[in-house]
Amino acid sequence: MNIITTKITRRRFLQTAGLGGAMLAAGLPTTVTWARPGPSAKKLRFIFYTDVHARTEWDTPRALQRASEAMNVQKADFMIAGGDLITDGFQSGAAKIKHRWDIYLKMHQGIPVPVYPVLGNHDLVAAIPEDGTNPSDDPRRIFRDIFGLHSTYYSFTACGYHFIILDSILISGGELKYQGTILPDQLEWLREDLSGVSKDMPIIIITHIPLVTAFYQLTYGTTGPAPKNRVIVNNRQVINLFNEHNLILVLQGHLHIKERVMLNGTTFITGGAICAKWWRGPWYDTEEGFSVITLDNNKVFWEYIDYDWIARRPISR
Ligand SMILES: [Fe+2]
């Protein structure tokens, strides 16, 4: 697979993985560009996987190995990791969950394509610890260091498509502990980023917490509100920024369901979960799996791949 990359490279990521999760500071600007010249430009095929919830119980390292093999078969151009890559970083001290980063990174050994990471709520480390350790002064630091990011929101352009990775987590404290929000400084960055994108260029947003979902209408009823820690509460502020742009696709995680909503020329896909029901088997008919996305000009094709894992976590735990 010949992909020209700048700044985020396969070598860099695998170098990190090869270190078994040791932290690696690199230096990724918030906007990177790469292009694949030739007749296949404008057609792009990539994997979107989300909600790994890496851990070591219930044979789950074998599941990750199996997922990695299934991804490799796809020979995609690159991968996007949609967040919640490990389990319970938010409420844990760094030492307690380091082995989970190690097992997550091991999943990537042998997948020779770049990975673009998205922050999930579980990927914050020591945000509000419940294990007696001190809160981190920067719960995003470990995530940034592992992936060599300056910022947990950034963009890149590939084959004529503009990809925007959002950081959708606000540590709010209180009962919910966090909520889905795009804060003003990120909105400002987004405005600035979009000012350099032509009106007809197809744009893809990737966010851990969904911007749009019908899941709560399905489960709570048509007038039921979504919890503030399950959706981006200021989604209109974000979506309105794209009124004059060609937003073709929003990829989302967090809910562990597979769902497609199409509104106003934009497809919103919630991409299931590597761990399905937190390693207990299918969740709302969504198996352990990942998505393969094909973009062909303004068209979006989506396939959900079940990597054939039989859950071994007891239902009661
Ligand atoms: Fe999750």
Side-chain angles (χ1 to χ4, degrees):
M1 185 64 52
N2 291 317
I3 297 173
I4 302 165
T5 64
T6 62
K7 306 303 180 187
I8 304 176
T9 64
R10 159 193 162 208
R11 181 193 55 76
R12 175 174 295 150
F13 186 80
L14 292 181
Q15 198 176 10
T16 310
L19 291 171
M23 305 315 165
L24 179 72
L28 177 71
T30 50
T31 300
V32 297
T33 303
W34 62 268
R36 181 178 53 186
S40 58
K42 278 287 183 185
K43 189 161 184 180
L44 196 56
R45 190 164 163 279
F46 63 93
I47 287 170
F48 172 61
Y49 73 80
T50 186
D51 292 85
V52 179
H53 288 255
R55 58 193 307 159
T56 51
E57 302 89 338
W58 316 302
D59 259 351
T60 51
R62 285 182 60 193
L64 298 187
Q65 178 64 29
R66 185 178 286 229
S68 141
E69 288 163 9
M71 289 184 211
N72 226 354
V73 165
Q74 295 297 324
K75 306 223 177 300
D77 293 330
F78 59 80
M79 302 198 288
I80 296 175
D84 282 3
L85 308 180
I86 64 159
T87 287
D88 288 349
F90 191 94
Q91 62 264 49
S92 308
K96 191 176 168 196
I97 45 84
K98 181 183 177 300
H99 65 292
R100 293 180 179 163
W101 284 117
D102 293 345
I103 207 73
Y104 166 73
L105 292 167
K106 198 170 175 203
M107 183 178 91
H108 282 281
Q109 289 174 343
I111 307 179
V113 293
V115 174
Y116 297 90
V118 182
L119 181 80
N121 47 296
H122 282 259
D123 304 321
L124 297 164
V125 176
I128 305 179
E130 295 173 0
D131 58 4
T133 56
N134 292 325
S136 169
D137 61 354
D138 182 1
R140 288 165 168 81
R141 184 189 304 124
I142 287 176
F143 184 88
R144 288 197 315 272
D145 285 351
I146 285 175
F147 293 106
L149 298 168
H150 282 315
S151 166
T152 44
Y153 49 88
Y154 58 97
S155 68
F156 62 96
T157 299
C159 299
Y161 298 92
H162 191 65
F163 290 77
I164 297 172
I165 309 284
L166 295 181
D167 175 341
S168 56
I169 319 293
L170 169 66
I171 303 168
S172 56
E175 196 181 337
L176 294 180
K177 298 189 169 57
Y178 67 90
Q179 70 176 39
T181 301
I182 305 299
L183 288 170
D185 56 343
Q186 189 174 174
L187 289 171
E188 192 49 48
W189 167 82
L190 194 47
R191 268 186 215 101
E192 174 72 24
D193 188 70
L194 285 173
S195 70
V197 178
S198 68
K199 305 291 181 203
D200 59 346
M201 178 178 271
I203 297 175
I204 299 91
I205 294 176
I206 308 96
T207 172
H208 180 68
I209 299 183
L211 278 169
V212 170
T213 175
F215 182 64
Y216 294 96
Q217 278 63 56
L218 176 74
T219 52
Y220 290 178
T222 49
T223 58
K228 290 181 176 178
N229 60 351
R230 294 290 177 260
V231 291
I232 292 176
V233 299
N234 61 335
N235 68 334
R236 292 301 309 155
Q237 268 190 300
V238 178
I239 291 169
N240 283 343
L241 294 179
F242 293 83
N243 285 344
E244 302 298 315
H245 282 279
N246 183 18
L247 178 62
I248 62 167
L249 176 62
V250 179
L251 294 170
Q252 318 177 123
H254 199 46
L255 304 182
H256 297 215
I257 57 159
K258 58 180 197 283
E259 170 198 45
R260 173 166 47 193
V261 177
M262 295 175 74
L263 289 171
N264 211 16
T266 304
T267 300
F268 298 81
I269 289 174
T270 307
I274 292 288
C275 73
K277 189 182 179 184
W278 296 264
W279 297 114
R280 296 184 190 89
W283 174 241
Y284 287 88
D285 200 33
T286 302
E287 300 276 352
E288 296 87 352
F290 58 88
S291 297
V292 176
I293 306 285
T294 303
L295 304 178
D296 190 354
N297 284 306
N298 286 318
K299 296 198 191 83
V300 175
F301 301 90
W302 174 42
E303 186 182 5
Y304 190 75
I305 308 283
D306 173 357
Y307 68 87
D308 210 18
W309 180 247
I310 306 294
R312 293 159 204 195
R313 179 178 187 172
I315 300 292
S316 57
R317 294 186 64 193

